[in-house]
Amino acid sequence: STLYTEEEAVNGTKNVWDYFFKQPSPYTLEEVYKSKNVILSNGSLPLCNTSMKPDVLQWQRYINTLVPFNQTLYEHIKRTVKSVLPDGKRILGVPTRGSEQSKRVIGHHIPITVEEIVPIIQKKIKEWNIDYVFVKAEEQETIDYLQKHIPNLLFTDCKRIVKYTTNSALPASNANMQISQYQNLVDYMTDIYILSQCTALLGTMNNGLYTAILWNNAQFEHVEIIDRGIYK
């Protein structure tokens, strides 16, 4: 059981891994548990190594090749990319985490506010010769604000948080109670994958931004990470 386990089976399975990914090996759990080399999680939530050191990135990118999307998620992402991203255009990807402004998460990077990032986006549009800006946003308020200040704004058509309320039981990124946890993660991973297909990337560090860097496999023309420190 995990935070993302649904009461009913998803695509015929209750294994959360199988909701989204193919299995990395042909072995069954029964066979794996008989192995001498089994490490079980202790239930802790270690932070991802986002140091971006070349040797770390090399191994993380290799590990990424071992966990391809399953066919259901792959087809959904492929359709969404086609409908959202215009062909042959220079696109700046901007992941935002507005909901975490009201929830201090020790050890996590402090996110920049949407008001603070607008002038930076405007500057990068000129510097990097950008045609469109794709934004990943959990809150509708963020989309509404950016539409007033950024031309040619792109975003996916998903249900967003209308008004965020701090909930100690859920991470801010999983606080959208309008949809299932499964749909929440489908939307999240779709947005992250689209970010990985952009020409350039701009934002404060978080797991989503870092995953976009891994999935992009060093193809971004520009990556600028805004460092505002870490919650302590």
Side-chain angles (χ1 to χ4, degrees), residues 7-209:
E7 291 185 10
E8 301 296 328
V10 173
N11 300 326
T13 181
K14 284 198 169 185
N15 184 330
V16 174
W17 180 277
D18 291 334
Y19 291 178
F20 312 106
F21 304 106
K22 294 180 181 179
Q23 287 290 342
S25 83
Y27 300 107
T28 66
L29 281 179
E30 288 74 17
E31 291 172 313
V32 169
Y33 287 145
K34 293 176 183 177
S35 170
K36 295 179 180 179
N37 302 307
V38 176
I39 300 174
L40 297 177
S41 168
N42 63 4
S44 65
L45 188 63
L47 296 178
C48 176
N49 183 338
T50 58
S51 64
M52 293 187 67
K53 294 179 179 178
D55 56 335
V56 174
L57 278 171
Q58 178 184 353
W59 279 107
Q60 289 171 327
R61 285 179 174 137
Y62 170 69
I63 291 169
N64 176 61
T65 66
L66 305 179
V67 287
F69 298 133
N70 64 29
Q71 196 63 28
T72 300
L73 181 58
Y74 172 74
E75 292 295 337
H76 170 78
I77 288 176
K78 188 166 66 171
R79 287 192 303 270
T80 308
V81 169
K82 187 175 181 179
S83 68
V84 173
L85 296 186
D87 291 334
K89 299 298 182 181
R90 296 178 59 78
I91 302 169
L92 172 61
V94 181
T96 66
R97 294 299 289 268
S99 55
E100 289 198 349
Q101 297 297 330
S102 55
K103 185 182 177 79
R104 181 170 173 267
V105 186
I106 294 174
H108 284 230
H109 294 266
I110 301 171
I112 190 171
T113 67
V114 66
E115 293 84 4
E116 290 170 330
I117 203 170
V118 161
I120 303 175
I121 294 173
Q122 293 169 335
K123 179 182 178 184
K124 295 306 173 185
I125 288 174
K126 295 178 181 179
E127 282 186 9
W128 296 341
N129 193 26
I130 296 297
D131 299 310
Y132 291 86
V133 174
F134 172 79
V135 62
K136 176 208 167 296
E138 296 147 1
E139 294 186 306
Q140 186 59 43
E141 183 179 1
T142 299
I143 297 293
D144 295 341
Y145 186 87
L146 289 174
Q147 283 185 304
K148 294 176 182 177
H149 297 86
I150 304 297
N152 296 338
L153 190 72
L154 305 173
F155 48 89
T156 53
D157 181 19
C158 62
K159 289 186 179 296
R160 292 183 167 84
I161 302 169
V162 176
K163 185 173 177 58
Y164 178 72
T165 302
T166 301
N167 181 342
S168 59
L170 286 176
S173 57
N174 305 108
N176 192 343
M177 304 305 291
Q178 304 172 85
I179 55 179
S180 67
Q181 287 296 320
Y182 169 70
Q183 189 59 51
N184 209 346
L185 277 182
V186 167
D187 293 344
Y188 178 80
M189 284 193 279
T190 300
D191 273 354
I192 298 303
Y193 185 84
I194 294 176
L195 286 172
S196 77
Q197 301 303 293
C198 292
T199 310
L201 189 65
L202 170 71
T204 44
M205 181 60 76
N206 56 56
N207 285 343
L209 179 145

